[in-house]
Amino acid sequence: MTEYNPQKIEKKWQKYWKKKGIYKTKDSVKGKKNFYHLVMFPYPSGDLHIGHWYNFAPADVYARFKKMSGFNVMSPIGFDAFGLPAENAAIKRGIHPEKWTYANIKAMSKQIESMGNMFDWSREIITADPNYYKWTQWIFLQLYKNGLAYKKKAPANWCPKCHTVLANEQVVDGKCERCDVIVVQRDIEQWLFRITKYADKLLEGLDGLDWPEKTKLMQKNWIGKSEGTLIQFPISNFQFPNKSQNPNDQNFLEVFTTRIDTILGCTYCVIAPEHEIISNLKSQISNLDEVEGYIEQSKKKTDLQRMETDKQKTGVELKGVKAINPATNKEVPIFVSDYVLAHYGTGAIMAVPAYDERDFEFAKKFNLPIIKAPLAPKDEMIKKLGAKKTINYKLRDWLISRQRYWGAPIPIIFCDKCGEVPVPEKDLPVKLPNVKNYLPTEEGKSPLAHSEKFIKTKCPKCGGPAKRETDTMDTFVCSSWYFLRYADPKSSNKFADAKKIKSWLPVNMYVGGSEHAVLHLLYSRFFTKALKDLGHIEFNEPFSALTHQGIILGPDGQKMSKSRGNVIDPDELVKNFGVDAVRMYLCFMGEYSQGGPWNPTGIMGVKRFLEKVWKLKTNLDIKCPSGRLMSKSLETLLHKTIKKVGEDIKNFKFNTAISALMILLNQMEKEKELRVTDYALLVTLLSPFAPHIAEELWSQLKNKNSIFEQPWPKYDPKKIKEETFELVVQINGKTRDRFEAPIGIAENEAKDLTLKRENVKRYTDLPGRQASAKNQIIQKVIFVPNKLINIVIK
Ligand code: ANZ
Ligand code: ZN
């Protein structure tokens, strides 16, 4: 037999699997339950990096295990092809985004195929394909027709580098998630999805999900439900500048508090710099210049910067006006400060420095009284002051329009006569035109605005001349429903056939990065709930179970980055070690959810392990005469290993499963004789991790079918029970010896065996004594079954 040559066998089996189509999933298989196993589909960024491998390869171990455990497993793959990252990369290279994206998809598909995963490529989805985004647009229309999509002019996060608005979720530490440039606020007409309508449902749904607790908590905090009170603080001597024209103006400041019980300790009020009361109070504010200067300054900060707790608090008092604490009837000063946010609660607070940390810092800096007043009972206080109970959410509506080229066009038409008109469903898709000028524009308009051919259309209602919406949808819209499409990827008359959806969804196991804890996962949940309410699907939650992989660091323990030169290139590794070794090392390097640094010698160890498995087959031909019984100890270990590997894979503890396989191999190497069937079990347990070598060895064992059509081995619980235990032997309470004894050994038997031990004889068989005297020096025997024997001697 030849040496283990991964390059040779891996190509061979990948071809075989493809030809046989063993990973093509039928929608139903008699006697098998469907299992929908999903990895987060990648952006066609150009290169399949080690992070993709870490997501896909160990996840494939789980999928194969499920398949072998008797499920009809669907494991699809596709590309999140629209969006800023691909577009920005294309622009940088001066290539049209479409050309760039499809070239990447081609290259990445080859790389993904090289991993030997059981992906069903016949279900591949590309979100930039008109057959796909037709349905993205269709879903937009359903949301629109049901009041869940709307257009409004409002301040939005504008990235000056990407020339587009961003959703709140895409602003990280005040910077654009994509390009790290500081985001500014700009007033722009934009499309939003009314996700806030689902705030409570999104919260409630979390309870039933088998998701990491941390991720559920992040969603909960993002939704940020808080129950509190609205209460009015009258403004003393308040005169409206032109009251007659402003019938809605009110002579009080309304604040939102979750701690109405602390109101007796409120010593001042704070309003956000954007608060509209400032313009009403202008004529009474004596230091208006100072106040306006402060407001200008605060515009440069983002909400996140404003909320940072470690920064020095800043602010300016509105001199000349006071508020009245309605509980004490005392006048309190009003400050404007950027630690109060405009779009939370009422944008105004009652400050209670004795109870609230932020207020405390502020009070100290501005020398304001800090009064530890007694707490008042909430409900009485609310009644007495005529306050209103209210619920606030941090969640904002989801901003989905982008002033960019590479996205699905928003299917709306504007007519001078009829106003905003949705594109009729029969006219979908609204195709993205192939324009020459796809560069984003400075003035904040979509590049599509330059395309006369695209814009000019007829009004679907009156037939008159009309214009198309030129904004495109954020790519997160495309990825909020792709998991539905996999159930029926080619459907042309529905986003997916209802029966097929029912047979596959919700997703049974979703594997992907924790960076999606709020964005993608929250949006997908919203889409699912909305589509359910609109009668298109029958379930509430898209992903029943979720697992996040950890992050692989460079060999130096630092985040991998090109500038640090610590990037691990999977193609290179595959060339040197083979796919199986790379897959298996990724599983072995640490706990999957933790990740950790790449260890170059670790992968060599795994490769050696595979070589040993290979060699054992060679020796087997010599070693194994006929079906002799295997040794008891091997039998026990084998059954234990079957149990452990299965349970570990189920829990995504791939590293400990592999350790168990290593122990088993060790033992098998030591055996004088080894049955073919037992070796075959080792190969079967190995197969989800190292599918190519396993398939090769399996075929060398003269099996006709693929090893992945084999059932996962079963263990016999009776055989796992330990047959022996280590009996601890004590003389006068001191441990002097230990030996293996059969489980359940009786006291008499244990005593006889113990007294024959050399280490014991030294104490009991004193020179010159008769054997009969021996029993006389033994005073007592204390026996703890299956544990210990203590011989008490004189
Ligand atoms: C008085 C008080 C006393 C407060 C106390 C808290 C503790 P959550 O739980 O996040 O909803 N607040 C209200 N509106 C705000 C805004 N626009 N910007 C910044 N802070 C705001 O927080 C609600 C609490 O945050 C409110 O209750 C208010 O301070 C503050 F011991 O009122 B509290
Ligand atoms: Zn019209």
Side-chain angles (χ1 to χ4, degrees):
M1 202 166 105
T2 48
E3 296 270 291
Y4 170 45
N5 180 345
Q7 280 71 18
K8 216 165 122 195
I9 60 166
E10 285 169 357
K11 291 254 160 55
K12 168 178 153 193
W13 289 111
Q14 284 178 9
K15 263 194 210 136
Y16 168 86
W17 293 328
K18 200 168 176 179
K19 203 170 132 217
K20 258 196 107 185
I22 75 164
Y23 307 135
K24 259 202 190 133
T25 333
K26 295 202 183 94
D27 287 318
S28 70
V29 174
K30 218 176 161 196
K32 288 191 176 184
K33 260 191 168 170
N34 281 359
F35 189 93
Y36 188 173
H37 175 80
L38 185 62
V39 294
M40 291 181 181
F41 67 164
Y43 286 129
S45 54
D47 232 355
L48 201 73
H49 54 72
I50 198 79
H52 290 120
W53 271 77
Y54 200 42
N55 184 351
F56 300 164
D60 184 60
V61 174
Y62 186 87
R64 287 179 187 274
F65 167 74
K66 278 287 173 186
K67 181 176 164 67
M68 296 170 85
S69 301
F71 290 89
N72 179 36
V73 177
M74 169 165 80
S75 180
I77 187 77
F79 290 93
D80 192 5
F82 268 142
L84 280 185
E87 188 176 7
N88 285 347
I91 289 170
K92 212 165 134 189
R93 290 165 177 80
I95 307 174
H96 192 281
E98 180 171 4
K99 209 172 149 199
W100 164 255
T101 301
Y102 278 86
N104 282 343
I105 289 177
K106 208 171 152 203
M108 282 174 81
S109 297
K110 248 183 112 182
Q111 286 175 305
I112 294 174
E113 274 190 280
S114 80
M115 302 170 80
N117 275 23
M118 53 173 278
F119 286 134
D120 178 355
W121 284 92
S122 72
R123 292 177 186 263
E124 182 185 6
I125 283 172
I126 297 173
T127 58
D129 182 336
N131 292 323
Y132 181 87
Y133 70 70
K134 169 181 176 177
W135 298 106
T136 307
Q137 292 173 336
W138 181 85
I139 293 173
F140 175 95
L141 289 178
Q142 309 315 306
L143 298 179
Y144 178 79
K145 288 171 189 169
N146 290 282
L148 292 171
Y150 65 97
K151 191 172 197 184
K152 82 163 186 198
K153 189 170 188 151
N157 307 305
W158 173 263
C159 173
K161 188 155 176 220
C162 295
H163 295 297
T164 187
V165 300
L166 301 171
N168 282 347
E169 290 86 339
Q170 289 167 317
V171 181
V172 177
D173 290 337
K175 292 179 193 150
C176 170
E177 172 194 55
R178 285 282 148 214
C179 72
D180 256 10
V181 159
I182 299 246
V183 167
V184 295
Q185 301 292 308
R186 237 187 182 185
D187 265 352
I188 292 174
E189 286 266 3
Q190 54 204 311
W191 286 94
L192 294 107
F193 285 159
R194 215 180 287 284
I195 191 173
T196 51
K197 198 178 162 202
Y198 280 82
D200 274 324
K201 285 187 176 172
L202 287 167
L203 269 182
E204 286 155 17
L206 288 172
D207 284 341
L209 298 178
D210 180 9
W211 284 23
E213 282 308 315
K214 201 176 150 203
T215 303
K216 290 205 248 182
L217 187 66
M218 279 171 78
Q219 293 220 344
K220 200 173 158 219
N221 290 343
W222 188 264
I223 296 165
K225 179 176 184 170
S226 93
E227 294 177 33
T229 310
L230 291 175
I231 178 157
Q232 298 172 355
F233 279 54
I235 293 183
S236 51
N237 311 320
F238 192 18
Q239 292 144 17
F240 282 104
N242 11 345
K243 190 164 172 118
S244 52
Q245 283 118 316
N246 281 318
N248 292 330
D249 281 344
Q250 292 156 328
N251 59 344
F252 53 79
L253 183 66
E254 189 166 53
V255 306
F256 170 67
T257 177
T258 47
R259 294 293 310 273
I260 187 75
D261 55 329
T262 64
I263 192 166
L264 297 172
C266 164
T267 51
Y268 60 97
C269 285
V270 188
I271 60 176
E274 298 88 343
H275 203 288
E276 56 194 12
I277 205 162
I278 295 172
S279 61
N280 289 334
L281 291 173
K282 260 184 186 163
S283 60
Q284 278 154 281
I285 300 174
S286 55
N287 59 338
L288 192 62
D289 279 357
E290 194 191 357
V291 169
E292 284 181 338
Y294 181 79
I295 293 170
E296 266 318 299
Q297 280 301 308
S298 69
K299 276 192 186 149
K300 294 184 186 144
K301 292 194 202 165
T302 63
D303 280 5
L304 264 149
Q305 289 168 328
R306 286 167 56 164
M307 285 189 298
E308 275 169 13
T309 43
D310 50 341
K311 292 264 163 66
Q312 276 270 335
K313 296 269 173 296
T314 59
V316 174
E317 185 181 347
L318 304 186
K319 298 226 167 95
V321 285
K322 297 266 187 219
I324 297 165
N325 181 337
T328 60
N329 275 323
K330 283 199 185 121
E331 278 193 342
V332 295
I334 305 174
F335 282 79
V336 53
S337 170
D338 62 14
Y339 83 94
V340 173
L341 303 177
H343 27 263
Y344 188 66
T346 61
I349 65 159
M350 60 177 219
V352 190
Y355 289 98
D356 184 284
E357 210 173 308
R358 295 161 298 177
D359 299 344
F360 178 77
E361 277 171 47
F362 190 87
K364 269 211 336 217
K365 179 154 178 201
F366 290 89
N367 266 324
L368 293 158
I370 300 169
I371 302 175
K372 192 148 182 123
L375 293 179
K378 272 191 185 175
D379 285 338
E380 265 167 47
M381 201 41 93
I382 291 174
K383 238 197 224 147
K384 201 171 121 197
L385 301 175
K388 284 195 297 265
K389 278 193 186 170
T390 178
I391 296 174
N392 253 311
Y393 297 90
K394 298 234 159 69
L395 185 69
R396 296 281 151 258
D397 276 343
W398 169 20
L399 196 160
I400 61 115
S401 48
R402 297 289 178 272
Q403 293 70 45
R404 294 293 295 250
Y405 170 70
W406 193 231
I410 292 174
I412 293 286
I413 289 168
F414 302 100
C415 166
D416 282 342
K417 268 200 239 145
C418 315
E420 212 173 81
V421 183
V423 171
E425 287 176 20
K426 67 170 176 42
D427 294 343
L428 296 181
V430 176
K431 278 205 187 159
L432 184 65
N434 193 344
V435 296
K436 280 220 178 67
N437 187 2
Y438 49 80
L439 295 178
T441 62
E442 291 287 342
E443 74 272 27
K445 268 200 193 147
S446 162
L448 293 184
H450 300 308
S451 170
E452 276 293 304
K453 235 174 97 191
F454 175 77
I455 298 178
K456 268 198 181 162
T457 185
K458 273 194 193 137
C459 169
K461 259 194 195 158
C462 69
K467 283 183 175 169
R468 285 191 192 282
E469 167 66 66
T470 55
D471 281 1
T472 54
M473 285 187 247
D474 180 22
T475 176
F476 274 109
V477 180
C478 312
S479 59
S480 292
W481 72 279
Y482 80 110
F483 46 89
L484 300 172
R485 185 70 175 173
Y486 279 136
D488 189 12
K490 308 245 156 46
S491 170
S492 58
N493 56 359
K494 190 93 214 274
F495 62 93
D497 173 69
K499 239 173 81 192
K500 290 185 180 173
I501 290 181
K502 205 173 163 184
S503 72
W504 285 113
L505 281 121
V507 173
N508 298 93
M509 177 54 78
Y510 197 23
V511 187
S514 58
E515 67 274 18
H516 293 294
V518 277
L519 302 119
H520 162 60
L521 290 169
L522 191 69
Y523 298 152
S524 300
R525 295 182 61 222
F526 162 59
F527 263 45
T528 302
K529 287 175 190 301
L531 287 172
K532 156 98 194 301
D533 286 354
L534 301 179
H536 298 292
I537 53 178
E538 293 178 20
F539 51 94
N540 266 314
E541 289 287 343
F543 315 120
S544 306
L546 171 74
T547 301
H548 295 309
Q549 76 274 18
I551 292 173
I552 300 192
L553 304 171
D556 53 0
Q558 302 290 317
K559 204 179 155 194
M560 281 190 201
S561 79
K562 284 205 180 105
S563 59
R564 271 210 191 86
N566 62 352
V567 176
I568 297 292
D569 172 14
D571 291 348
E572 191 78 1
L573 291 170
V574 167
K575 230 171 46 208
N576 294 337
F577 299 96
V579 176
D580 282 338
V582 177
R583 289 173 56 110
M584 199 150 170
Y585 176 62
L586 287 171
C587 291
F588 186 56
M589 59 179 283
E591 199 175 313
Y592 188 49
S593 62
Q594 303 295 312
W598 181 267
N599 175 353
T601 52
I603 188 164
M604 290 193 249
V606 166
K607 172 89 186 287
R608 265 199 300 278
F609 166 77
L610 292 173
E611 280 163 354
K612 282 188 194 165
V613 174
W614 183 272
K615 214 164 131 211
L616 188 59
K617 162 75 181 52
T618 320
N619 294 346
L620 190 67
D621 300 335
I622 313 157
K623 226 176 190 178
C624 181
S626 55
R628 294 276 308 253
L629 282 182
M630 65 176 140
S631 72
K632 265 269 174 273
S633 59
L634 179 63
E635 187 181 41
T636 307
L637 183 64
L638 196 53
H639 284 268
K640 268 190 180 170
T641 310
I642 294 172
K643 178 168 190 268
K644 178 152 182 65
V645 172
E647 282 172 2
D648 282 354
I649 293 178
K650 254 188 238 162
N651 293 315
F652 284 80
K653 303 260 191 278
F654 306 115
N655 52 336
T656 48
I658 292 172
S659 301
L661 288 176
M662 289 175 169
I663 292 169
L664 180 64
L665 173 74
N666 239 328
Q667 185 58 39
M668 285 188 169
E669 283 176 331
K670 281 189 204 142
E671 294 291 317
K672 281 208 202 72
E673 290 179 359
L674 186 62
R675 294 189 306 182
V676 173
T677 47
D678 297 332
Y679 178 74
L681 275 176
L682 169 71
V683 172
T684 311
L685 295 179
L686 176 69
S687 66
F689 299 96
H692 308 83
I693 188 176
E695 192 77 287
E696 170 69 25
L697 292 169
W698 182 251
S699 86
Q700 287 183 18
L701 294 173
K702 314 237 166 6
N703 292 294
K704 294 232 163 54
N705 281 339
S706 164
I707 192 167
F708 300 106
E709 283 159 355
Q710 290 304 302
W712 187 254
K714 286 202 168 59
Y715 63 89
D716 181 349
K718 275 187 242 122
K719 299 240 163 86
I720 287 178
K721 276 217 195 107
E722 298 276 354
E723 306 280 316
T724 60
F725 72 103
E726 199 179 53
L727 181 71
V728 175
V729 178
Q730 296 184 332
I731 310 284
N732 289 348
K734 280 211 178 98
T735 302
R736 299 293 183 189
D737 198 9
R738 328 161 163 261
F739 63 92
E740 287 287 310
I743 280 176
I745 188 171
E747 177 172 343
N748 264 348
E749 249 179 284
K751 187 178 157 193
D752 285 351
L753 286 174
T754 303
L755 293 178
K756 280 185 199 139
R757 307 280 302 173
E758 285 306 320
N759 284 349
V760 176
K761 277 196 210 158
R762 265 194 273 144
Y763 298 95
T764 54
D765 296 12
L766 297 176
R769 281 206 189 182
Q770 297 280 318
S772 59
K774 188 164 148 184
N775 274 336
Q776 289 167 15
I777 70 160
I778 295 175
Q779 305 272 300
K780 209 161 74 173
V781 173
I782 301 161
F783 180 66
V784 184
N786 297 335
K787 251 199 187 130
L788 169 149
I789 186 162
N790 182 11
I791 313 273
V792 182
I793 55 174
K794 257 196 225 158

